[in-house]
């Protein structure tokens, strides 16, 4: 079964700092990759997704992620965070032909003004 | 916009009670999912359904059952609630062939 690893569960940083969250998955082959975000008290919502094509994908609110197939990774980045980026971030992977998403354990990100 | 709604935002139940959590989606999605979310554990799949009256176990089905009598509604049932089922429960749906899951607001269940 697919498994997803996210490291550094708690991340604290100051506004304007750069953010990078790592995501690695276990199973090769064709995959669809997602980053979801959950702001305090809100729904989980999609931040960005990769299905095929350009491995560098851009999402909402200035986030981007890079798919590196050889490393089974899909790392999330933002060059300059804001206080409003305080949230929990989840990486998720779907293997081709499977309706299920495998989620990582999440990164709790706190941005200090 | 896809809308996934859950019957309650907060629920408090006693140990041994039967608990029903309801989820409704309004976009005619074939697939529906129930997860529980716990701090430090991420989202874990309890059950999912890919069609009416069809269900499959996820990673942690013990202590839970589900019902899908209509396409838009997917119910999670705790036959006899226990304190270790205190958690946030999230419902999600997705159209067949479309890989983005849409989530409901969650139900925070406390079992005392």
């Amino acid at each position: 079964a697919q498994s997803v690893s996210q490291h550094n569960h708690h991340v604290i940083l100051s506004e304007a700092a750069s953010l990078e969250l790592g995501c690695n998955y276990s199973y090769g082959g064709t995959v669809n990759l997602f980053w979801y975000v959950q702001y305090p008290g809100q729904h989980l919502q999609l931040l960005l997704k990769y299905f095929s094509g350009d491995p560098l994908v851009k999402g909402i609110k200035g986030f981007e992620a890079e798919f590196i197939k050889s490393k089974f990774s899909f790392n999330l980045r933002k060059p300059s965070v804001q206080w409003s980026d305080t949230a929990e971030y989840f990486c998720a992977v779907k293997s081709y032909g499977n309706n299920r998403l495998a989620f990582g354990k999440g990164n709790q990100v706190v941005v200090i003004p | 916009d896809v809308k996934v709604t859950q019957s309650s935002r907060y629920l408090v139940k006693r140990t041994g009670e039967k608990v029903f959590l309801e989820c409704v989606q309004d976009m005619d999605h074939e697939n529906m999912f129930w997860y529980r979310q716990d701090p430090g554990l991420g989202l874990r799949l309890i059950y999912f359904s890919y069609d009416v009256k069809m269900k499959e176990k996820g990673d942690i089905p013990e202590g839970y059952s589900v019902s899908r009598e209509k396409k838009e509604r997917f119910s999670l049932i705790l036959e006899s609630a226990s304190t270790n089922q205190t958690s946030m429960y999230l419902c999600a749906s997705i159209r067949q062939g479309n890989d983005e899951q849409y989530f409901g607001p969650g139900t925070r269940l406390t079992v005392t």
Side-chain angles (χ1 to χ4, degrees), chain A residues 42-69:
Chain A
Q42 295 190 25
H43 296 206
L44 263 170
Q45 56 185 285
L46 186 69
L47 201 53
L48 46 76
K49 59 187 177 185
Y50 173 80
F51 287 175
S52 63
D54 188 345
L56 184 62
V57 294
K58 296 192 183 298
I60 60 172
K61 303 188 180 186
F63 284 90
E64 64 179 30
E66 185 175 13
F67 170 49
I68 303 179
K69 190 173 183 179

Side-chain angles (χ1 to χ4, degrees), chain A residues 91-106:
Chain A
C91 181
V93 179
K94 178 184 173 299
S95 300
Y96 181 77
N98 189 331
N99 278 322
R100 298 172 50 160
L101 279 181
F103 281 86
K105 293 183 177 181

Side-chain angles (χ1 to χ4, degrees), chain A residues 6-70:
Chain A
Q6 292 180 245
H7 308 291
N8 302 321
H9 182 64
H10 290 97
V11 177
I12 301 173
L13 60 169
S14 299
E15 276 193 317
S18 64
L19 173 68
E20 180 159 0
L21 301 177
C23 173
N24 291 90
Y25 59 95
S26 61
Y27 174 71
T30 303
V31 292
N32 300 138
L33 301 158
F34 306 83
W35 276 96
Y36 282 86
V37 61
Q38 188 174 35
Y39 298 104
Q42 295 190 25
H43 296 206
L44 263 170
Q45 56 185 285
L46 186 69
L47 201 53
L48 46 76
K49 59 187 177 185
Y50 173 80
F51 287 175
S52 63
D54 188 345
L56 184 62
V57 294
K58 296 192 183 298
I60 60 172
K61 303 188 180 186
F63 284 90
E64 64 179 30
E66 185 175 13
F67 170 49
I68 303 179
K69 190 173 183 179
S70 61

Side-chain angles (χ1 to χ4, degrees), chain A residues 88 90 105, chain B residues 36-44 60 84-88:
Chain A
E88 191 155 19
F90 294 95
K105 293 183 177 181
Chain B
R36 62 177 283 176
Q37 182 181 9
D38 299 288
L41 297 179
L43 275 73
R44 294 180 291 167
I60 51 164
N84 64 11
Q85 292 178 310
T86 291
S87 186
M88 171 70 88

Side-chain angles (χ1 to χ4, degrees), chain A residues 99-101, chain B residues 23 30-35 45-49 68 74 90-94 101-103:
Chain A
N99 278 322
R100 298 172 50 160
L101 279 181
Chain B
C23 174
E30 290 84 0
N31 301 284
M32 297 186 74
F33 304 81
W34 275 107
Y35 297 90
L45 182 64
I46 304 171
Y47 266 98
F48 66 103
S49 168
R68 185 126 181 245
F74 191 36
L90 298 178
C91 176
S93 74
I94 180 176
Q101 286 194 10
Y102 295 87
F103 284 85

Side-chain angles (χ1 to χ4, degrees), chain B residues 9-76:
Chain B
R9 290 300 301 270
Y10 300 94
L11 209 52
V12 180
K13 295 291 181 181
R14 293 190 182 274
T15 302
E17 279 193 81
K18 191 168 186 176
V19 181
F20 292 87
L21 303 182
E22 304 286 339
C23 174
V24 177
Q25 50 92 5
D26 66 359
M27 285 299 291
D28 203 37
H29 285 174
E30 290 84 0
N31 301 284
M32 297 186 74
F33 304 81
W34 275 107
Y35 297 90
R36 62 177 283 176
Q37 182 181 9
D38 299 288
L41 297 179
L43 275 73
R44 294 180 291 167
L45 182 64
I46 304 171
Y47 266 98
F48 66 103
S49 168
Y50 51 89
D51 203 351
V52 175
K53 297 192 185 295
M54 306 301 285
K55 60 185 179 185
E56 284 199 30
K57 293 180 180 179
D59 299 319
I60 51 164
E62 296 79 18
Y64 304 94
S65 62
V66 290
S67 172
R68 185 126 181 245
E69 296 297 318
K70 293 185 178 182
K71 191 175 187 179
E72 68 271 18
R73 188 180 296 270
F74 191 36
S75 303
L76 180 69

